[in-house]
Amino acid sequence: MAGRLIVRRGETSAITLSLKPAVTTIGRDEENDVVFDDDRISRRHAQIAHDGERFVLSDLGSRNGTFLNGRRINTPEPLRHGDVLGLPGVTMRFDQAEETVPWEPEGTADTGLRVDLDRAEVWVRGRRVALTAKEFQALAFLYNKGGHLVSKEALAAHVWPEYEGAVGDYNIDQLIFRLRRKLGVEEGEPGYLKTLPRLGYRLAV
């Protein structure tokens, strides 16, 4: 049976992440399967592995710990439907309900950018794009603005509510850089994410 994580950060909308059949790694490093851009989370923080019968949560020697139902774990722990997983600044619910996970084939007739806010999915030219939680929060915020200008301060306050938007320009610039790269289109064509120097950003949809 497939497993999923329902992710919540602060007051933002929930994001659903499907677990891999074998091992799903979680951490701050971009090479992880689930990436959280938070300095309190270790580069390789935790993992969820399937042992053939059930999903098992393990901490990977993180500095600030991995929590299961409010308790810091020291050894691998089996997961049950509805369990609450905790990392610094992140709350996740393990979901293993007997329902079909929504799926859409790649290569659909869609030729532009599509942001599915209900499923937390992003598609570019019929290709599904994998985003981190922070990246999706930023993109969804810009998408909801309907192409209107969003200031750097407003974007920071929405994406980093745990810091009340008090993050450096470097963090915001890197987030926008990664988003623009992942939403990349054919060479020579205009991108979807526009930067207006000293003013902010807007999404061309």
Side-chain angles (χ1 to χ4, degrees), residues 26-28 40-47 57-67 72-76 87-88:
I26 305 170
R28 194 173 78 249
R40 296 169 296 177
I41 294 177
S42 298
R43 293 186 181 278
R44 294 184 71 253
H45 197 105
Q47 72 174 29
L57 173 67
S58 302
D59 182 81
L60 299 179
S62 67
R63 179 173 183 175
N64 292 317
T66 301
F67 296 79
R72 184 168 182 166
I73 65 171
N74 298 308
T75 58
L87 273 66

Side-chain angles (χ1 to χ4, degrees), residues 15-132:
I15 298 174
T16 301
L17 304 172
S18 297
L19 296 175
K20 287 189 171 182
V23 178
T24 301
T25 58
I26 305 170
R28 194 173 78 249
D29 195 285
E30 287 284 344
E31 294 184 358
N32 289 288
D33 301 307
V34 178
V35 179
F36 293 113
D37 187 12
D38 191 316
D39 290 341
R40 296 169 296 177
I41 294 177
S42 298
R43 293 186 181 278
R44 294 184 71 253
H45 197 105
Q47 72 174 29
I48 299 175
H50 197 276
D51 64 4
E53 295 182 358
R54 57 190 178 178
F55 286 96
V56 179
L57 173 67
S58 302
D59 182 81
L60 299 179
S62 67
R63 179 173 183 175
N64 292 317
T66 301
F67 296 79
L68 178 60
N69 298 322
R71 173 178 53 85
R72 184 168 182 166
I73 65 171
N74 298 308
T75 58
E77 298 267 1
L79 294 175
R80 299 175 178 81
H81 175 68
D83 278 348
V84 177
L85 289 63
L87 273 66
V90 182
T91 299
M92 301 175 280
R93 180 172 61 83
F94 176 66
D95 180 85
Q96 202 174 20
E98 294 184 7
E99 61 180 62
T100 302
V101 178
W103 175 82
E104 187 165 345
E106 296 196 13
T108 64
D110 192 356
T111 58
L113 171 66
R114 181 161 60 87
V115 181
D116 190 328
L117 299 176
D118 293 329
R119 297 182 182 179
E121 294 178 353
V122 177
W123 298 78
V124 176
R125 296 182 179 273
R127 173 180 59 87
R128 184 174 177 180
V129 179
L131 300 181
T132 67

